[in-house]
Amino acid sequence: MTELVRVGISLPDDLLRRFDRRIADHGYTNRSEAIRDMIRERLVTDEWSDDRDEVAGTFTLVYDHHQGELVSRMLSIQHDHEGAVISTLHVHLDHDNCLEVLVLRGPAHRLRALTDELRALRGVKHTTLAMTSTGKNLL
Ligand code: NI
């Protein structure tokens, strides 16, 4: 069980007012929970930018499966990064478009390379990367 520690911080009053308005808009009822979530989010972002860390995430792609060799290129890239893609979900959105969700886990630099290669393929229309962490230290 993680022990909670109290800390006091000093902030400019206008910054605190803006913070309180913003977290209320997002449904937080107390500052502590909002600050904890912001710290975790920042740490996960930093893990993704640090090549030493193992991270996890989901990568969502919308693409036109009629586009040239796109599907075989996507598969080749995934096989090149063997082990990084631990699960996939495929939905046929309409006649032309597919939506695919890749669940990723591995060293941050490998996952960034994989998602960069996929995003750049002709026929890939939109992607989103949801970065999270394997949570060894912080979640
Ligand atoms: Ni499809």
Side-chain angles (χ1 to χ4, degrees), residues 74-115:
M74 287 178 62
L75 288 173
S76 295
I77 290 169
Q78 292 183 52
H79 282 272
D80 289 345
H81 296 271
E82 187 191 345
V85 180
I86 55 177
S87 184
T88 63
L89 169 74
H90 186 106
V91 177
H92 310 302
L93 277 185
D94 55 34
H95 183 261
D96 300 318
N97 295 297
C98 301
L99 180 151
E100 207 154 288
V101 180
L102 310 182
V103 180
L104 309 174
R105 180 178 187 164
H109 67 97
R110 279 191 72 200
L111 303 193
R112 285 203 312 273
L114 169 64
T115 55

Side-chain angles (χ1 to χ4, degrees), residues 19-75:
F19 179 74
D20 283 344
R21 272 200 306 272
R22 177 55 59 96
I23 66 174
D25 288 346
H26 288 280
Y28 287 100
T29 53
N30 73 74
R31 287 177 184 148
S32 291
E33 187 58 28
I35 291 170
R36 284 193 287 270
D37 283 352
M38 289 177 74
I39 291 172
R40 291 189 187 109
E41 193 174 313
R42 177 53 193 261
L43 290 173
V44 168
T45 302
D46 284 353
E47 281 192 334
W48 268 82
S49 58
D50 187 332
D51 289 344
R52 295 164 302 178
D53 285 323
E54 181 173 297
V55 293
T58 57
F59 189 59
T60 302
L61 307 101
V62 174
Y63 61 90
D64 181 347
H65 72 96
H66 297 304
Q67 176 74 47
E69 301 293 307
L70 175 59
V71 173
S72 68
R73 287 204 183 101
M74 287 178 62
L75 288 173

Side-chain angles (χ1 to χ4, degrees), residues 118-137:
L118 292 171
R119 189 183 290 115
L121 291 172
R122 177 188 281 267
V124 173
K125 295 177 173 179
H126 186 251
T127 63
T128 57
L129 174 62
M131 297 180 284
T132 185
S133 164
T134 48
K136 283 180 185 156
N137 299 313

